[in-house]
Amino acid sequence: MLDIAIVEGVRTPFAKAFGALASVPAQELGRLAARAVLQRAELPPHQVDQVIFGNVALPADAANIGRVIALLAGIPQDRSAHTVQRNCASGMEAITTAAQLIQLGEARTILAGGVESMSRIPLLYNAEATALYLQLSRAKGWWSRLRTLLRFRPRHFRPVSGIQLGLTDPVCGLIMGKTAEILAQDFGISRQEQDEFALESHRRACAAQQRCDLAGEIAPVPAEVAGKEVKQDAGPRADQTLEALAKLKPFFQDGGTVTVGNSCPLTDGAAAVVVMPGEAARAEGRQPLGYLQAFAYAGCDPSRMGLGPIFATNKLLEKTGLSFKDIDLIELNEAFAAQVIANERAFASDRFAQEQLGRTTALGTLDRARLNVNGGAIALGHPVGATGTRLVITLLRELKRRGLRRGLATLCVGGGQGAALLLESVAPSAAVTKR
């Protein structure tokens, strides 16, 4: 087992794309999260050795956004920083990369996290229009420019959605929502089941907000940055009902069951953690949020990418020698209700275990009493580069709040992958003593 301390973790509020945080660039969201976690950890910027941030849609004006965030956050310029990208697992990739660098002795204290501004993913021109604009820029003289302008047609001014391109798998050709439809068909998941799951996500998230359980992990975005102070997640809806969800039309497939209501929304937000060797954190007298003990990534069919969690979790349990019964709480990202329910059924299926995992018996039961207890991405949102880090922060805080020890953070990854992290709320030596 690893002994990597997650010293502290903070995130911004999550807001639906084109909403409260739409005007805030990704690098600014990242800066806010980075500064907040350093302040909460009482860690001066000069004590940070490296910075690693996950990001999916890299802004054109902030190449290597990890480095941009580091400098904006006041990290000394002689410290290195880089950006990682594993689609929805980018925020986890930042943390596990930090763990690997610490193991290699390349760094002692690392600022890691993830960020996404889905509001600011640009609209694009198609290739034909791009060629005409290039020709126009090279034209010499008014007659040459006029001839080029006369070649433009209405189709050249129809933008291409960068978000839609990014959410469409280039190998299987399917947008992510369509892969959820496939899982709904494979596992016989009804529209009502998906809507009921979505409603429960909102109910749990709203209850967590009322208890202030999520407030402790959030650093507000000030008015001078966003135009109006944003203090909590904008997605959870206390007035959500099954009747309202049932009125929504299928979004990805005619006659389908996946809607915008039982899917996660496009979201803006950032999250950051401070990572260091567990031994070093304890020597400094720190009380970390918890510890990263193991992690695993796994591949699967891109057209059924939503099953990534079961493949990664199986690999993680094989790696650690643990069983699913050893896990106290689970954070499984809610990209789609159909995807989570499909994992529930796959986890509990002997047949799936035998045919897909090489096991004789099912992996275990995804008990909803210990799954996403404060709601998930359907309500809270899914800023794709940041969610992996958010899952770690939320899970470790909830383990401590409940006096529990071990948690699993897992998610599916566009392109056909899964990620799974084993987290513990107490130091490894203390856990051994408890056992």
Side-chain angles (χ1 to χ4, degrees):
M1 295 285 192
L2 301 174
D3 180 18
I4 302 295
I6 309 296
V7 176
E8 189 54 89
V10 179
R11 66 179 177 92
T12 68
F14 286 179
K16 290 183 180 180
F18 315 109
L21 298 177
S23 64
V24 186
Q27 57 267 33
E28 179 63 12
L29 290 171
R31 182 194 73 84
L32 290 169
R35 292 291 295 176
V37 78
L38 291 176
Q39 183 177 11
R40 195 170 295 187
E42 298 182 352
L43 186 73
H46 72 266
Q47 290 186 13
V48 174
D49 299 316
Q50 290 198 36
V51 176
I52 308 167
F53 258 75
N55 180 244
V56 177
L58 190 67
D61 61 348
N64 188 8
I65 193 171
R67 174 63 171 173
V68 177
I69 290 169
L71 295 175
L72 291 176
I75 306 299
Q77 64 182 14
D78 64 345
R79 312 302 158 84
S80 68
H82 69 280
T83 308
V84 293
Q85 211 275 34
R86 197 193 284 258
N87 282 347
C88 300
S90 298
M92 284 187 177
E93 183 76 21
I95 295 172
T96 59
T97 300
Q100 291 170 324
L101 289 171
I102 288 171
Q103 284 185 292
L104 290 170
E106 293 292 325
R108 179 181 179 276
T109 303
I110 297 179
L111 174 62
V115 62
E116 207 70 50
S117 175
M118 300 188 81
S119 294
R120 297 171 75 91
I121 296 175
L123 295 172
L124 309 173
Y125 287 110
N126 61 37
E128 186 179 3
T130 301
L132 282 172
Y133 278 111
L134 180 61
Q135 184 175 338
L136 182 63
S137 70
R138 292 174 174 175
K140 298 185 183 301
W142 68 269
W143 178 243
S144 178
R145 286 193 290 272
L146 180 59
R147 280 190 303 178
T148 303
L149 285 170
L150 290 173
R151 293 178 58 192
F152 278 90
R153 297 293 180 270
R155 67 178 181 274
H156 298 136
F157 301 100
R158 186 182 302 117
V160 178
S161 170
I163 291 178
Q164 185 173 348
L165 282 177
L167 294 176
T168 301
D169 185 272
V171 177
C172 70
L174 300 177
I175 195 167
M176 295 298 101
K178 176 60 176 173
T179 72
E181 288 283 8
I182 291 174
L183 292 183
Q185 295 166 14
D186 286 350
F187 289 88
I189 303 166
S190 71
R191 166 70 180 272
Q192 183 170 343
E193 287 177 296
Q194 295 174 57
D195 287 349
E196 288 174 348
F197 185 93
L199 181 63
E200 181 63 9
S201 183
H202 282 279
R203 188 196 69 77
R204 293 185 180 194
C206 289
Q209 284 185 331
Q210 291 174 353
R211 295 190 305 266
C212 296
D213 287 350
L214 296 175
E217 67 190 48
I218 293 174
V221 176
E224 56 266 30
V225 172
K228 180 181 178 181
E229 186 181 31
V230 183
K231 296 190 291 186
Q232 67 176 14
D233 301 314
R237 294 183 56 180
D239 61 348
Q240 186 62 277
T241 65
L242 274 179
E243 292 74 22
L245 288 167
K247 292 178 182 178
L248 298 172
K249 294 181 180 180
F251 191 79
F252 301 99
Q253 176 180 299
D254 291 339
T257 58
V258 180
T259 72
V260 295
N262 56 41
S263 308
C264 68
L266 304 176
T267 312
D268 303 329
V273 294
V274 172
V275 184
M276 63 171 47
E279 185 177 359
R282 293 187 291 275
E284 292 181 6
R286 294 183 177 276
Q287 298 293 322
L289 277 183
Y291 296 83
L292 171 65
Q293 292 210 299
F295 61 90
Y297 296 96
C300 63
D301 178 0
S303 67
R304 291 167 174 80
M305 66 90 202
L307 293 175
I310 189 169
F311 289 101
T313 300
N314 178 59
K315 190 173 179 180
L316 179 70
L317 295 180
E318 287 181 346
K319 186 176 181 179
T320 59
L322 297 174
S323 75
F324 201 57
K325 293 179 180 179
D326 295 317
I327 306 298
D328 297 313
L329 287 178
I330 303 151
E331 284 288 327
L332 192 159
N333 189 44
E334 298 170 0
F336 305 93
Q339 159 255 326
V340 181
I341 298 169
N343 274 279
E344 286 181 328
R345 296 184 181 175
F347 268 78
S349 169
D350 289 337
R351 180 177 178 180
F352 188 94
Q354 293 160 8
E355 294 180 355
Q356 299 292 330
L357 305 178
R359 299 171 60 97
T360 56
T361 59
L363 206 58
T365 301
L366 273 175
D367 179 7
R368 290 194 185 179
R370 58 187 179 131
L371 172 68
N372 298 353
V373 295
N374 292 319
I378 289 174
L380 299 174
H382 177 27
V384 287
T387 291
T389 305
R390 198 278 296 175
L391 293 175
V392 170
I393 296 169
T394 302
L395 179 56
L396 286 174
R397 289 180 59 85
E398 193 61 28
L399 286 170
K400 280 191 175 294
R401 187 161 31 242
R402 295 182 178 222
L404 300 174
R405 188 173 80 220
R406 190 175 285 137
L408 168 71
T410 184
L411 44 64
C412 59
V413 184
Q417 294 189 80
L421 273 59
L422 180 67
L423 301 159
E424 193 150 326
S425 62
V426 296
S429 57
V432 170
T433 301
K434 282 188 176 184
R435 288 194 289 269

